[in-house]
Amino acid sequence: MTKQNASKNGAAATKGAISIRNVTKIYDPEGVNVKAVDNCSMEIAGGEICMIVGPSGCGKSTLLNAIAGFHSITEGQIDVDGEMLCGPGREKADQGADRMVVFQNGALFPWKTLVENVAYGPMVQGALNKAQAMDKAGTMLAEAGLGDVIKKFPGEVSSGMSRRAEIVRALINDPKVLLLDEPYRAMDALTKQIMHESLLETYDRTKVTIFFITHDLEEAIFLGDKAHVVTTRPCQLKKTVEVNIPRPRSYETQSSEAFRALLSEVNEAVHEEAVKAFQAGEREMA
């Protein structure tokens, strides 16, 4: 994180710091060891937007799933704010409201309105009663620009609105970490721009730590404080690119010399890994 961002985040900068140390993950389907992650380490400061980029199938989602508590790890350790999620003696992290996930495919309940979807989590967990949860959900949806559609069902609103509602649903529990696995991948360019602006507005309000997986290199530079480039499988950290572009950012930023230079740097690192992944795939098919 840049000094500018650390200062801007203030006390929130200590919330949601992720430490990934020497993590290895080996899958063993039908007795065949598949190493998805190999001795991978990275440090993510609290309040940082951390972008993870690399070839398809390289192990990025395996890391995210380990942080979320969906997958175990074979070796190493993952901490949040200095407390171990998984590591020696605990192969798999407990799932918790401190780490919320938004995946590429939508997960809203189609039979519930947007406000009911957002209110559902804290109601089920017993954190808020129905009236409190509905009131908080309505307020947060309005802050996200969805105040006019809170009583609509997911099928009655655009994909962009549904995705914004999913992110609000993840944030209503005030998590330390928001885990995003290519949430905008299937969207057209214009909708994606709107979603980027919405996410940055949300970040400005919450300063939540964001662990964001993407294949879109411009997205990685536009949104991120850092872009972590990882290798083709097994996943290791190849390069960390500091995005020293001041916030707030607008789309004019993408035509700046600084932005294009960072994009070129990330593209070069990712392209090398994409070539390796392609060649490995051809060898496996041969």
Side-chain angles (χ1 to χ4, degrees), residues 130-152:
K130 182 176 180 179
Q132 291 169 331
M134 293 288 281
D135 182 65
K136 185 174 182 180
T139 298
M140 292 184 67
L141 284 165
E143 289 175 344
L146 298 171
D148 293 336
V149 295
I150 64 172
K151 295 184 179 180
K152 297 283 190 181

Side-chain angles (χ1 to χ4, degrees), residues 12 20-21 28 30-31 39 54 59 75 85 90 92 113 119-120 130 134-135 138 166 200-201 204 215 253 259 261:
I20 299 170
R21 298 197 301 277
D28 191 26
E30 300 179 358
N39 197 33
E75 296 177 4
L85 292 178
R90 187 190 299 169
K92 187 177 180 182
T113 64
Y120 181 78
K130 182 176 180 179
M134 293 288 281
D135 182 65
E166 284 190 74
L200 290 178
E201 288 170 3
D204 286 340
H215 284 92
T253 300
F259 184 95

Side-chain angles (χ1 to χ4, degrees), residues 93-146:
D94 294 332
Q95 297 177 29
D98 61 330
R99 288 155 286 125
M100 299 301 294
V101 186
V102 177
F103 292 107
Q104 179 182 342
N105 298 318
L108 294 177
F109 299 125
W111 59 89
K112 291 182 180 291
T113 64
L114 297 189
V115 69
E116 288 170 341
N117 266 283
V118 173
Y120 181 78
M123 287 170 54
V124 169
Q125 294 162 13
L128 298 173
N129 62 37
K130 182 176 180 179
Q132 291 169 331
M134 293 288 281
D135 182 65
K136 185 174 182 180
T139 298
M140 292 184 67
L141 284 165
E143 289 175 344
L146 298 171

